[in-house]
């Protein structure tokens, strides 16, 4: 087994490059429930926007965020949205993720209170699909995002992993 000091330098660190910041509006949340420890919530995504150096535009209405509320207090995310760039390209974006923190912080988030994002963990792993020639590079990158939950919906900062 390789010892970290013996690994090539290229394998010791992960580089990141900003992709875009994205806000999502979630006006309605449905709570169909489910078995204990795996209850479901489904948020309707009515829109939003995204801004970055390489692409910017709007989040189209019609997306959804399927959430699983685990018994340990963590919330698992499974979202699907369509992005429309400022130059008219369509990009499918899906992401899974996790949000967790101390019970009192999570309760305050659940009530829609503004919480310091350093007091809880909120990470996503987006993937993209598009046929637009200008953005086809998105089909071949790995990305991560850091989130912050606001009363109207989340804001994310998305990074390409180099």
């Amino acid at each position: 087994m390789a010892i970290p000091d013996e690994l090539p330098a290229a394998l010791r660190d992960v580089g990141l490059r900003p992709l875009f910041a994205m806000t999502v509006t979630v006006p309605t949340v449905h709570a169909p429930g489910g078995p204990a420890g795996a209850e479901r919530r489904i948020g309707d995504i009515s829109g939003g926007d995204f801004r970055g150096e390489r692409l910017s535009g709007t989040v189209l209405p019609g997306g959804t965020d399927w959430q699983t509320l685990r018994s340990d207090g963590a919330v698992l995310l499974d979202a699907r949205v369509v992005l429309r760039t400022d130059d008219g390209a369509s990009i499918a974006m899906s992401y899974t993720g996790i949000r967790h923190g101390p019970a009192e912080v999570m309760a305050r988030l659940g009530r829609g209170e503004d919480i310091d994002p350093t007091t809880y963990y909120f990470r996503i792993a987006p993937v993209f699909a598009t046929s637009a020639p200008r953005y086809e590079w998105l089909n071949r990158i790995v990305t991560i995002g850091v989130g912050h939950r606001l009363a109207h919906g989340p804001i994310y900062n998305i990074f390409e992993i180099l």
Side-chain angles (χ1 to χ4, degrees), residues 4-89:
D5 291 340
E6 295 173 357
L7 291 173
L11 300 181
R12 292 185 198 154
D13 293 306
V14 174
L16 300 175
R17 178 167 45 171
L19 187 58
F20 56 76
M22 179 177 76
T23 60
V24 177
T25 304
V26 183
T28 308
V29 176
H30 309 280
E39 291 102 26
R40 294 288 182 147
R41 281 192 311 221
I42 302 148
D44 294 327
I45 297 173
S46 65
D49 63 15
F50 61 98
R51 298 280 172 253
E53 287 185 16
R54 295 179 283 164
L55 68 160
S56 296
T58 59
V59 177
L60 298 181
T64 56
D65 181 1
W66 287 63
Q67 300 179 357
T68 301
L69 302 135
R70 292 192 332 200
S71 58
D72 65 357
V75 178
L76 301 180
L77 310 171
D78 183 2
R80 308 243 181 314
V81 298
V82 176
L83 308 177
R84 172 75 41 84
T85 64
D86 288 341
D87 59 359

Side-chain angles (χ1 to χ4, degrees), residues 59-161:
V59 177
L60 298 181
T64 56
D65 181 1
W66 287 63
Q67 300 179 357
T68 301
L69 302 135
R70 292 192 332 200
S71 58
D72 65 357
V75 178
L76 301 180
L77 310 171
D78 183 2
R80 308 243 181 314
V81 298
V82 176
L83 308 177
R84 172 75 41 84
T85 64
D86 288 341
D87 59 359
S90 293
I91 301 167
M93 175 182 173
S94 60
Y95 57 90
T96 57
I98 189 166
R99 184 174 65 224
H100 65 84
E104 64 277 2
V105 169
M106 297 300 284
R108 291 179 62 200
L109 280 174
R111 293 192 296 269
E113 296 180 28
D114 189 17
I115 304 296
D116 178 350
T118 64
T119 62
Y120 62 100
Y121 186 89
F122 189 1
R123 305 293 186 269
I124 63 171
V127 294
F128 302 93
T130 186
S131 297
R134 180 174 176 171
Y135 301 105
E136 56 81 28
W137 54 271
L138 288 166
N139 298 325
R140 297 185 308 274
I141 65 171
V142 175
T143 63
I144 58 169
V146 179
H148 179 40
R149 181 67 168 97
L150 303 172
H152 67 279
I155 182 169
Y156 298 105
N157 199 11
I158 311 295
F159 298 88
E160 174 185 2
I161 299 176

